[in-house]
Amino acid sequence: MLNKEELLTQAEKNSAYAQAQFSAAGLTSMGKIEGLDAIMPVPGGKLCLGMECLDRALWDAEPAYDEIKKLGIYSVRIQSGWARTETEEGKYDFTALDREVDALLSRGILPWISLSYGNPIYYEGDASALRAGGIGHVPIHSEKERKAWQQYTAKVVARYRGRIKRYEVWNEPDVSVFFMGEKDWVASYLELLRLTVPVIRENDPNALIIACTGNHRGFAPLLQGGMGEMVDQYSFHNYSAFPEEQTLEGRAAIRAIRDAMAPHLTLIRGEAGCPSYNAPTSFGALHDMSTSETIQAKWASRHLIADFADPAVSETSYFHAYEFLHFTRQHHYYYGALRQDYSRKPVYHVLQRLSRLFDGDTKTAPHCWLRFMGAQKPDGLLVRCCAFERKGLPLFAYWRSEVLVDQSEATLMQAQILPAIHWKCPVLVDTLTGDVYPVKDTDQLPVCGYAMILTEAAALAGLMDERTLTTLLGTANEAKTIENKQYLEG
């Protein structure tokens, strides 16, 4: 892991290295996207944040809430914690969950609740076999535990009616540790849905219900079993050291299944993240990945923007807010945007920039294309390009699809944009460092292993120093008067 001095200077090192790379391509930084703590994005963006594991007290969110608010993210995922709430049969204490919900809502953040996991006091086997917080107990095998689960669900939904809009039924039932002893997890999960969904509907008819799997391969069997008739949204989780593998291939498969079998379902990327460090005892998602805080930040820029570009994905949740204690309590996981001392990692700043750049003012632009000549390489690497419009102005995100490394070299490549755009003041935004580079020739652009954004300087109004932006634009009025019709031909 990095020592304290290295942590404090990591952002500066990243910026200095990137500026040197782009200087070689003839670009000079004219400022940064910064000062975002007090700037709330326009609602309507897709970015969500994972705040799981509070149900088992695996981290303390109290010092993190204000930092999470400053990210500019309006939606977070939390877990309910049955085993924490009902420690004696029929007696419920919602103090901890109330504290989480109240803290988030008071900051303008809307949580959605994953109803998970089980409860040892209703487990008829050896309760010592269960993980902390009832992980592994699926309450469907006796009348007593079925009734207890329904009563608990009713208590949660009735308590937060009108405040919580969405409920997810369980976390990753296709992962054995969370669904212990189920020989046919599909049949068991369908049974849990049939047990749970009517209770949610009865106690809050307006609530949306989410089904969840850890891998998209369970989607089709669940739909064949009737899941589509029970729920409103489907949440899938994927972790890959190569972001495009999960965002392009897995997402396309899910979309095709949804369109063929349950076109009414909304798709959510409910979990996906990258650790900044792997402890020797780590296991699970990406535990053997060569990583760092810089690689984590680059991973997020590629993964999240690819999800933003998919109109079928309504929301994508970055995992996680913090470096939480693993449920075995043997080591920490380092997926967090915040370190254990609640200081900000580079990925925090990437999330903060993306929440503003891809808020409700930014939409996909299926009629626009950015292409790079000769992008297909003999080794299979290529350039991924995503087209958007921000405030009616063109915005393109692109990166070289390569193995993630700390120092990603920039290569100048010939670019083509269709239809042709009459640029006024094109700039490149470095999503890792926040640097903004004026671009003289949009036909020659530097490409590296994380996301760069080509857009009009006017699209950055409110996100960088006003005097710097005025200098870039030439006049202060251009930021207010330029409209989309001046940019797109035809």
Side-chain angles (χ1 to χ4, degrees):
M1 295 182 65
L2 299 175
N3 61 41
K4 186 173 182 180
E5 181 179 351
E6 290 172 321
L7 290 173
L8 291 173
T9 61
Q10 188 64 55
E12 288 83 354
K13 289 181 178 180
N14 287 338
S15 185
Y17 180 81
Q19 288 187 31
Q21 287 285 300
F22 296 127
S23 176
L27 301 177
T28 301
S29 174
M30 289 290 291
K32 286 180 178 287
I33 292 180
E34 57 186 354
L36 301 181
D37 283 10
I39 301 172
M40 291 304 292
V42 175
K46 293 184 177 182
L47 186 56
C48 178
L49 183 68
M51 289 185 62
E52 298 84 356
C53 304
L54 289 172
D55 59 312
R56 286 148 284 159
L58 298 179
W59 64 290
D60 178 12
E62 192 59 37
Y65 286 123
D66 286 338
E67 287 295 280
I68 291 168
K69 178 183 179 180
K70 292 171 186 176
L71 277 172
I73 294 175
Y74 286 99
S75 176
V76 302
R77 178 181 184 242
I78 62 175
Q79 293 167 303
S80 63
W82 182 19
R84 171 188 60 183
T85 304
E86 187 183 2
T87 57
E88 296 182 48
E89 289 189 26
K91 296 182 179 180
Y92 302 93
D93 182 357
F94 284 98
T95 301
L97 189 55
D98 282 347
R99 183 167 56 245
E100 296 163 25
V101 171
D102 292 344
L104 291 165
L105 291 176
S106 68
R107 290 168 172 83
I109 302 169
L110 185 61
W112 48 288
I113 293 180
S114 178
L115 294 165
S116 49
Y117 297 100
N119 195 326
I121 66 175
Y122 293 104
Y123 184 59
E124 295 191 345
D126 180 6
S128 65
L130 300 177
R131 301 287 191 183
I135 290 180
H137 172 217
V138 187
I140 61 174
H141 296 293
S142 72
E143 186 59 28
K144 182 177 181 180
E145 62 185 0
R146 288 163 62 92
K147 184 177 180 181
W149 169 255
Q150 288 183 310
Q151 289 177 337
Y152 167 70
T153 299
K155 291 282 187 181
V156 173
V157 178
R159 187 176 190 86
Y160 301 112
R161 179 172 176 168
R163 303 180 74 205
I164 299 296
K165 307 298 184 183
R166 295 185 292 167
Y167 293 93
E168 180 182 67
V169 182
W170 217 262
N171 174 66
E172 298 186 355
D174 50 336
V175 177
S176 59
V177 71
F178 301 130
F179 230 53
M180 192 175 69
E182 302 302 317
K183 295 181 180 180
D184 184 347
W185 76 265
V186 171
S188 296
Y189 186 54
L190 289 168
E191 177 62 20
L192 183 63
L193 286 173
R194 286 190 286 267
L195 196 66
T196 310
V197 169
V199 177
I200 298 175
R201 300 283 189 211
E202 179 182 353
N203 285 275
D204 189 351
N206 295 318
L208 296 176
I209 300 176
I210 308 169
C212 168
T213 60
N215 190 296
H216 71 272
R217 285 187 287 273
F219 189 31
L222 288 170
L223 288 178
Q224 291 166 355
M227 181 187 75
E229 288 76 47
M230 290 187 275
V231 302
D232 307 292
Q233 300 180 330
Y234 169 65
S235 172
F236 58 100
H237 303 175
N238 289 108
Y239 292 78
S240 172
F242 220 82
E244 294 73 27
E245 291 180 2
Q246 56 168 312
T247 54
L248 296 176
E249 296 173 11
R251 186 182 60 225
I254 293 169
R255 185 172 59 240
I257 294 168
R258 189 279 307 270
D259 292 347
M261 301 180 68
H264 68 283
L265 285 184
T266 301
L267 301 180
I268 299 171
R269 173 92 62 182
E271 267 188 37
C274 176
S276 60
Y277 169 76
N278 280 315
T281 56
S282 294
F283 56 88
L286 306 185
H287 71 278
D288 55 354
M289 175 181 175
S290 177
T291 190
S292 68
E293 289 195 353
T294 299
I295 288 174
Q296 178 191 39
K298 293 180 176 181
W299 184 98
S301 76
R302 286 163 54 170
H303 162 75
L304 291 170
I305 292 175
D307 269 358
F308 296 158
D310 186 349
V313 176
S314 65
E315 188 173 358
T316 181
S317 184
Y318 179 77
F319 185 91
H320 186 276
Y322 185 73
E323 296 181 337
F324 61 93
L325 184 65
H326 189 262
F327 61 76
T328 61
R329 301 185 184 273
Q330 295 178 353
H331 59 266
H332 278 79
Y333 266 160
Y334 297 88
Y335 297 93
L338 299 172
R339 304 184 185 98
Q340 289 182 51
D341 63 358
Y342 299 92
S343 62
R344 301 173 176 182
K345 295 185 190 178
V347 72
Y348 179 98
H349 300 287
V350 170
L351 295 176
Q352 194 180 47
R353 294 179 192 116
L354 294 185
S355 73
R356 274 73 174 186
L357 286 167
F358 295 90
D359 61 10
D361 276 339
T362 304
K363 309 295 181 184
T364 56
H367 57 281
C368 294
W369 294 269
L370 170 63
R371 298 170 179 168
F372 286 86
M373 306 299 103
Q376 185 65 49
K377 302 294 184 181
D379 58 7
L381 300 182
L382 48 83
V383 180
R384 305 289 189 189
C385 304
C386 304
F388 303 86
E389 289 179 3
R390 175 166 176 77
K391 299 181 179 179
L393 305 176
L395 186 151
F396 298 94
Y398 66 89
W399 59 89
R400 188 168 58 239
S401 183
E402 66 181 13
V403 174
L404 288 156
V405 294
D406 276 306
Q407 296 185 335
S408 179
E409 295 185 5
T411 304
L412 202 61
M413 298 185 67
Q414 184 178 353
Q416 181 185 29
I417 297 173
L418 297 172
I421 293 175
H422 299 299
W423 294 96
K424 290 286 186 178
C425 184
V427 293
L428 276 178
V429 179
D430 185 324
T431 61
L432 177 66
T433 69
D435 285 297
V436 179
Y437 299 87
V439 177
K440 296 180 181 179
D441 183 4
T442 58
D443 294 334
Q444 294 284 331
L445 297 173
V447 183
C448 59
Y450 62 93
M452 297 293 294
I453 293 173
L454 174 66
T455 189
E456 278 287 355
L460 306 181
L463 302 182
M464 61 184 303
D465 178 73
E466 185 177 347
R467 287 176 296 179
T468 303
L469 183 61
T470 299
T471 300
L472 285 170
L473 291 168
T475 68
N477 291 331
E478 282 189 82
K480 303 177 182 178
T481 60
I482 295 172
E483 297 181 356
N484 181 51
K485 64 183 180 181
Q486 295 174 292
Y487 289 84
L488 302 181
E489 291 185 342

